[in-house]
Structure formats: structure tokens, C-alpha cells
Amino acid sequence: MTHIPQLRLAIDIGGTFTDTVLVDGTGQILASTKTPTTPANPTDGALAGARHVLEEAGKDWADIGGFIHGTTLATNALIERRGACVASITNAGFRDILEIAYERRYAQYDINLVKADLIVPRARSFTIGGRMDVQGQELTPLDRRAITSLVGELKASGADAVAVCLLHSYANPAHEIALRDLLGAALPQLHISLSHEVSPEAREFDRLCTTIANAYVQPLMARYLDEFQTCFARQGLNCPILMMTAGGGMTTLDTAARLPIRLVESGPAGGAILAARIAAQTGEGAVLSFDMGGTTAKLCLIDDYRPQMARQFEIARAARFTKGSGLPVRIPVLEMIEIGAGGGSIAGVDRLGRLTVGPQSAGAEPGPAAFGKGGTDPTVTDADVTLGYIQPDRFAEGRLQIDQDAAAQALCCGVGAALALDATLAARGVSEIVDESMASAGRMHAVESGKQIDTRLMIAFGGNGPLHATRVARRAGVSRILIQRDPGVGSAVGFLFAPVGFEIVRSRYALLDGMDVAGLNRFLTKMTDEATQVVRQGAPVATLSTRRQAFMRYHGQGHEIEIDLPHRDLTTDDIETLRIAFEVEYGRQFSRAVPGMDIEVLNWAVHVSSDAPALTKIAKGGSHHPATPTDTREIICDVTGSPVHAGIFDRAELLAGSTLNGPALITEPQTTTLVSADFSARIDGVGNIWLSRLTEVMT
């Protein structure tokens, strides 16, 4: 009988740790691990993690039938500006799109305003003659005689990659395609990104910025993905590697190498998918996903088992949290707020004597002082060690030796000396600041989305999520928390539940009244065929589902509302249905619809994906019985600030129905759950920890 591989492997490379998970054909986790990320060559850390889980499970490379990978490499390259030397090509007369931008300052009265770094300076902004109109009709032919001069300018600029963004290429890409062919023949080593492939939408500034960002990371990501695939193939891997995307789906290595901008924020997307799946399993319709790793913390709102989506976000903002101060990118992405608050976030005291935490991180090398790898700056992890929340002998599965004295010394030198605090008080200060930062980010994100946060279930994961969940929840007003099994590698586990999917958003202007329904159906069918072709590369025989949307607005408005389209060809009868659906949603978001206004559609979206793995419902009820701690440990109570003895519980030994009250520490190989003094814990039938805030707490 032919052996059919059943195992699936997921690897998430983060800024501090690389998470690896191996599951069998039923989705049962056979082994998981956290290994330090290796910044010089991220593949090394990924390979070490894969070898570890295979050895632990007693399996071989040939047993792996599925491999999903997510990485922060593209994100970090954009933030740290470690990409290629990029030039841009636009239509003649439009050289200064980047300089003009939105024609406004993001901080109107800031005389020291720092403009966003948009990667391409004016000296590398080139133009070429030719023009399409908004309908895709050629007004002026492409100036092929200028190619020789353009090639010379590109050579002289030293560009490794070029972003081509011509007017209305989303309606007719013929000029961009011709330009790519001509440049490719003359400069075969040049990496070329075309805007109609990267972001085929109206709004030239956003489309150009997205294409530039893609071109900036494309050479780096193409090399990385090729080396990654080659390295694992040498080990004996013989299945395709799929890449996690920012929109919550998976795609092939070829598509990822061509459109690496789709990989930005791919790791956090896995965590949001996991939280959405758990929400569906438990029947929780309103959830807050809280993912705290070593470098950042990510929060995402999930309603009706679907993470909140966005079509645009900004990278590397010059002014933190200030909209308009970063590089705008228009791609489908799971909407979340991400802040520099992780275990490795560095604490310090500014010139005004204020305690600060992050966004700078100690990363994987040298890491927090407690890691004993040469780090001297005080970090959040050093504070948690000093407060007693981390057991040194169990941290990172015992592969990292925790130096408690080094953690205390770093806090004394980096924080305590400036504020006249001992190590314990300095640690408390760091903890208070970072927890409040995460809670306030969650509150702000909810308010901006017009939603409540206090009534939601928090699903916490990541290496530091369970350790900080109760502290963040208290400040955010959240009273219920769920910690799923293997929370330390939550994002990697989420990869395994993601569908193979691809989304195309394309501009085609139409007024709702008098809409060309037949032409629109042909347009949507073409988009569906394109997306399906990409998905079939990673899911050749899977059942596919399609979701279509229209981006609608009142005539003259600047932004759109997403409205779902029926799963069939449109008819003229659907026009009134779309009008009603738009006005209902507009009224929900802005209190009232506007009567008598024309409605227009600017963009259309088609999302094709394979079906996600089947859900198993989780029962919440069952009998309860008190759990017995295996030991006790003195910690600093996060409620009172006083030393207390906390019970220590081994998660592997907690049975279904076990209950306990805080203060307590529930330990496992990759993380620790802190049950604060004002919380109780209960284990459900599949091993999840449910934390509930107590109404009355004895102090």
C-alpha cells in the first residue's frame, strides 16, 4: 500500500522566537517548540525547530504532507529599511506623486514635523510618455523610443528593483506589461513590480506606495524563499511549502516571491485565525484576540467568528499612532493594532524622568538580561522574572538558563538608579506601564471601530500573552479570558487552520443606477478566474468558496463601505437590493442614511479560498472540582503590590473540571499563565483555561 503522508508542519518566525508545531491528520498536536530566532539567517532557527519536533514525535521528513510558513522578514525589512535600492516609473508629468502625497500634513501645526520615509527619493523617480484613460482606453501610446534613455537612467541610479505605476493600469495594464517586457530584456537582473498586479486600485499615491514597498522587499524575499525551500528540500521534505498572508489565507511560494508585500504581518494573522476558530468552537460571538510575543503585542477584534478586515495600513510611522505619518500600503489584511510591547521590550527613563517601555526590543540577540546572552538593558521579561512570575527552570522548555540576578541588576541600573527604586519596585513600574499600554491600545482600537471591548471574551496566546492576560484584562475592563492549549505557539497553530486563499481588489467605477450588469458580471468572472488560478496552485483538488464584495459610497465621498454581493451573476433586480444593503450599513456606522443621494461603486473584491478544516464544538459545562497545587512560590501580587505565596500548577496535570483561585501560576513548557488574585480559573473538557474575574477579592 502506498504511504500517504498525514503530518502537517507550521513554522512562524518572530522577532525573538521561532515557533514550530507538528500535527497529525486529525489536527492533534504531536509536538511543538520555541527556538530562538536567528536574525543572521532565519532559516537556521526554523530548521532547528523542525528537527526538534520531528525528533520528539519520532517522525521523519518524508512523513510531512503539508508545510505552512509565516515570517516577519518582510515586515522587519520595511521597518528597519533593509531592502533593495528602488526606483519608480510613472507617467510623464506625474514624477512628484510621492512628494505631493495627500496634499496635507499629518500634524498641521508641528513645526518639527518629520515626513514619512517613502523609500524612493526624487532622484530615482523616473517617467515615460504614454497614457490610459479611466476606462482603460489608450489616449497616448507608450513612448518606446524613450526606453534606451530610461534604461541608462536606471543603471546610473544603481537601482536593484523598480516599481512601475502608470495611470489607470487597473483598467488596462497593457502599458505596464509592455514596459516590463522592454526593461526585462535590457536589464534581466532588475526586479520589476507592476502596480496592476500588486494593488490594482484607484488612488495613484497609495497604489504607487504599495508597489514601491513590494519592490523594496522583493529581492530579499525572493532570495530568502528560494534558500528556505532549498534548505528543507535537502533535509528530505517533498511537499510544497505554503506561505501565510496578511489577509489570513495561504499562498504558494511563487506568488509570495512575486507579491511579497502580501506577507507583511503574516505571523499575527495566524493568531487572529486561531482566535476566530476558538470563538466559533465555543460559540463566543464577540472576542478580543490578544497575542503578546517577544517583540510586539497584537490585538484584533473578532465578531461573528470573523476577524475584522482592512484594505489599508501604514508601515514605519514617523509619529507613533499618528495616521498619515507612515508608508501607506493597500492590500487585504486582517485589521489589528500592533504595539512595541513584548517580552523583549526595553524599559528606560526619558529626559523628563518618565518611565518608558518599548517600542525598541532586545530581540533574540542579545535578548533580555535574564537570558544571559549579553543583554544589559532592562526588559519586560526581566521585570516578570524579578516579580516571580517566571520559573527559571521551566522557561523555554529549560533550554534557556534564566539569570535572576542579571535581570534585577539591569532593572536597578536602567530604571531604578534614575528613579531611586529598588529592583522590585522598578519591575512593578515596568509591568504597570506595559500592561496599561496594551490595555489602552485595545480600548482605542475598539473605540475607533465603534465597538465595545469590556463585554468581549479575551483569547490570549503568544509566549507572553497568558502571563499578562489578567493584568491587561483588568485595565481594559474585560472579565473573561480563555487560554487555549499550546498558547505559546498560537500563531503557528493558527496557520494550520487557515484556508488556501487569495483576494483581488480592483477598481471599476459605476453608478448604482444604470449599472452595466452584463459588463460587471464579465469583470467579476475574470477576477474570480484569476484568484482561482492562484488558489489552485496550493489546493489543486479542494472544494473552493468565493466571496464577492462591492465598495460603495455616496457620490462625492472619499471612502467606501463594503457590501457583500450574492454568490451568482448579478441581475438588474439586485440594484435595489444593493441600495438597501448599503443604506442599512451606512446607517449602522453613521447613525442615518442620506436620502436622495446617488450611490456609486469604486472597487470590487473577489476572495477565493479552500474550505477550512471542520470545527468541533467545545462544551462549556461539566462538573467542577478544586485542583491541588504541586508547589508554592513567592511572587509580588499584581493587585496589592505585596509579596504573596502563589500556588504552582502543572497544566499537564490539570483535568477537565479543575478549578482554582488566584494568585496562582499555571506552568507549561512554553509559557506561564498568571492567575491574578482577582481571577479564578477553570479547565474545560478539551484542556482550555477559562479565567473569570471575581467580584470580590480578599486582600
Side-chain angles (χ1 to χ4, degrees):
M1 180 179 290
T2 303
H3 173 66
I4 301 176
Q6 291 290 320
L7 306 186
R8 301 176 71 211
L9 181 71
I11 298 180
D12 176 24
I13 300 180
T16 305
F17 286 99
T18 294
D19 299 344
T20 308
V21 178
L22 183 70
V23 301
D24 63 17
T26 67
Q28 181 70 30
I29 295 178
L30 300 179
S32 63
T33 189
K34 296 179 79 72
T35 53
T37 295
T38 50
N41 186 0
T43 302
D44 291 343
L47 188 57
R51 285 171 173 164
H52 179 88
V53 296
L54 285 172
E55 181 180 350
E56 184 177 333
K59 302 296 182 180
D60 189 73
W61 291 100
D63 296 320
I64 299 175
F67 190 156
I68 306 98
H69 176 37
T71 176
T72 61
L73 190 59
T75 308
N76 293 344
L78 283 162
I79 293 173
E80 299 167 12
R81 291 299 190 258
R82 293 186 291 102
C85 177
V86 180
S88 68
I89 301 175
T90 55
N91 297 86
F94 289 83
R95 182 183 183 186
D96 294 314
I97 289 176
L98 292 179
E99 296 294 325
I100 296 171
Y102 296 125
E103 299 184 80
R104 63 176 183 267
R105 295 160 58 92
Y106 65 81
Q108 188 71 29
Y109 303 107
D110 185 355
I111 60 174
N112 296 314
L113 180 141
V114 178
K115 293 187 68 175
D117 179 2
L118 301 182
I119 297 175
V120 177
R122 194 173 192 272
R124 293 202 302 271
S125 298
F126 306 117
T127 63
I128 190 169
R131 187 77 174 269
M132 295 285 184
D133 68 11
V134 70
Q135 302 299 332
Q137 301 298 315
E138 186 178 75
L139 297 176
T140 307
L142 185 69
D143 186 3
R144 296 171 182 263
R145 295 171 300 177
I147 294 298
T148 301
S149 173
L150 185 58
V151 167
E153 291 176 319
L154 286 169
K155 285 182 177 179
S157 73
D160 304 307
V162 63
V164 179
C165 182
L166 302 182
L167 286 175
H168 309 307
S169 61
Y170 53 83
N172 186 346
H175 284 182
E176 286 195 350
I177 293 171
L179 188 55
R180 177 195 60 195
D181 294 342
L182 293 167
L183 291 178
L187 300 170
Q189 301 303 315
L190 186 68
H191 292 263
I192 304 173
S193 291
L194 304 181
S195 71
H196 81 272
E197 294 181 339
V198 178
S199 181
E201 300 183 48
R203 299 188 174 98
E204 263 57 41
F205 172 64
D206 292 34
R207 183 155 53 92
L208 175 57
C209 287
T210 307
T211 309
I212 287 172
N214 192 79
Y216 187 67
V217 298
Q218 190 176 30
L220 172 70
M221 292 304 297
R223 287 194 301 271
Y224 166 74
L225 294 175
D226 181 63
E227 292 169 0
F228 190 90
Q229 183 179 37
T230 301
C231 175
F232 279 88
R234 286 174 182 160
Q235 304 302 312
L237 181 76
N238 53 24
C239 72
I241 299 175
L242 297 177
M243 297 297 299
M244 192 71 193
T245 67
M250 293 184 289
T251 192
T252 63
L253 285 181
D254 289 342
T255 302
R258 182 170 55 91
L259 301 173
I261 192 62
R262 293 285 187 111
L263 305 183
V264 173
E265 299 297 330
S266 64
I273 289 171
L274 173 65
R277 185 175 178 85
I278 293 172
Q281 288 178 315
T282 56
E284 295 284 345
V287 161
L288 172 67
S289 167
F290 172 51
D291 177 6
M292 183 179 179
T295 305
T296 59
K298 287 77 63 176
L299 299 103
C300 177
L301 299 176
I302 298 170
D303 291 290
D304 299 324
Y305 321 132
R306 181 180 292 174
Q308 193 162 290
M309 294 290 297
R311 306 293 168 182
Q312 178 179 348
F313 64 101
E314 291 181 353
I315 297 172
R317 284 177 168 170
R320 193 180 180 196
F321 297 138
T322 303
K323 187 176 180 180
S325 65
L327 176 72
V329 173
R330 289 188 74 88
I331 59 171
V333 62
L334 298 185
E335 185 173 14
M336 59 186 71
I337 189 165
E338 182 172 7
I339 63 173
S345 294
I346 296 172
V349 179
D350 66 14
R351 60 188 180 87
L352 298 178
R354 299 175 300 187
L355 177 59
T356 63
V357 181
Q360 292 77 25
S361 173
E365 296 177 0
F371 285 8
K373 297 167 63 177
T376 57
D377 292 319
T379 67
V380 174
T381 292
D382 295 317
D384 288 334
V385 168
T386 302
L387 294 171
Y389 303 151
I390 293 176
Q391 280 191 290
D393 57 337
R394 295 205 65 179
F395 186 80
E397 303 171 43
R399 290 199 299 273
L400 274 177
Q401 297 300 314
I402 293 297
D403 189 334
Q404 294 174 279
D405 292 336
Q409 180 66 23
L411 287 162
C412 285
C413 294
V415 175
L419 300 177
L421 302 174
D422 61 19
T424 300
L425 287 176
R428 279 199 66 202
V430 171
S431 177
E432 292 283 339
I433 291 293
V434 74
D435 293 331
E436 179 56 38
S437 295
M438 291 184 287
S440 61
R443 292 193 301 266
M444 179 178 68
H445 185 46
V447 168
E448 288 176 344
S449 302
K451 298 176 180 179
Q452 285 186 289
I453 193 174
D454 55 346
T455 57
R456 293 175 178 268
L457 170 71
M458 174 188 285
I459 298 178
F461 50 93
N464 290 284
L467 193 59
H468 286 260
T470 54
R471 292 180 272 174
V472 173
R474 182 187 308 117
R475 289 165 175 80
V478 173
S479 60
R480 297 185 305 134
I481 305 167
L482 184 148
I483 313 292
Q484 77 279 5
R485 296 177 61 187
D486 297 286
V489 292
S491 289
V493 174
F495 291 175
L496 298 166
F497 299 122
V500 180
F502 195 75
E503 183 169 8
I504 297 175
V505 181
R506 186 164 291 159
S507 293
R508 177 190 170 102
Y509 179 81
L511 282 170
L512 194 58
D513 290 329
M515 189 166 58
D516 177 11
V517 175
L520 179 58
N521 284 330
R522 291 192 296 271
F523 175 76
L524 291 171
T525 298
K526 183 179 178 181
M527 290 174 63
T528 303
D529 291 342
E530 290 179 20
T532 300
Q533 185 177 4
V534 174
V535 174
R536 280 300 181 202
Q537 296 175 29
V541 297
T543 302
L544 303 184
S545 59
T546 301
R547 184 185 182 202
R548 308 188 305 172
Q549 293 174 301
F551 293 73
M552 304 171 65
R553 66 188 185 188
Y554 286 121
H555 179 66
Q557 290 186 325
H559 296 279
E560 303 84 40
I561 292 175
E562 302 172 26
I563 301 298
D564 285 337
L565 298 174
H567 300 288
R568 53 171 172 74
D569 282 350
L570 298 175
T571 67
T572 53
D573 293 337
D574 292 316
I575 292 177
E576 185 60 26
T577 303
L578 289 175
R579 184 194 313 279
I580 294 172
F582 169 76
E583 292 187 337
V584 168
E585 180 61 18
Y586 193 95
R588 188 193 71 80
Q589 292 190 28
F590 303 106
S591 298
R592 61 183 294 270
V594 182
M597 289 282 289
D598 289 333
I599 298 172
E600 58 190 11
V601 188
L602 180 64
N603 294 329
W604 307 82
V606 172
H607 182 267
V608 177
S609 66
S610 62
D611 291 340
L615 281 171
T616 301
K617 292 291 184 179
I618 297 174
K620 299 180 185 179
S623 60
H624 298 166
H625 52 85
T628 303
T630 58
D631 200 355
T632 60
R633 176 182 177 83
E634 186 176 278
I635 67 171
I636 302 300
C637 178
D638 62 302
V639 177
T640 65
S642 304
V644 295
H645 281 87
I648 297 178
F649 298 82
D650 189 331
R651 184 168 186 176
E653 297 180 4
L654 292 175
L655 303 177
S658 296
T659 61
L660 58 101
N661 290 330
L665 298 172
I666 302 176
T667 63
E668 53 189 298
Q670 294 153 5
T671 190
T672 296
T673 298
L674 169 65
V675 184
S676 296
D678 55 344
F679 277 81
S680 65
R682 175 179 59 84
I683 310 300
D684 69 13
V686 296
N688 294 319
I689 302 173
W690 291 79
L691 301 170
S692 301
R693 192 173 182 192
L694 304 172
T695 55
E696 295 184 7
V697 183
M698 299 299 295
T699 59

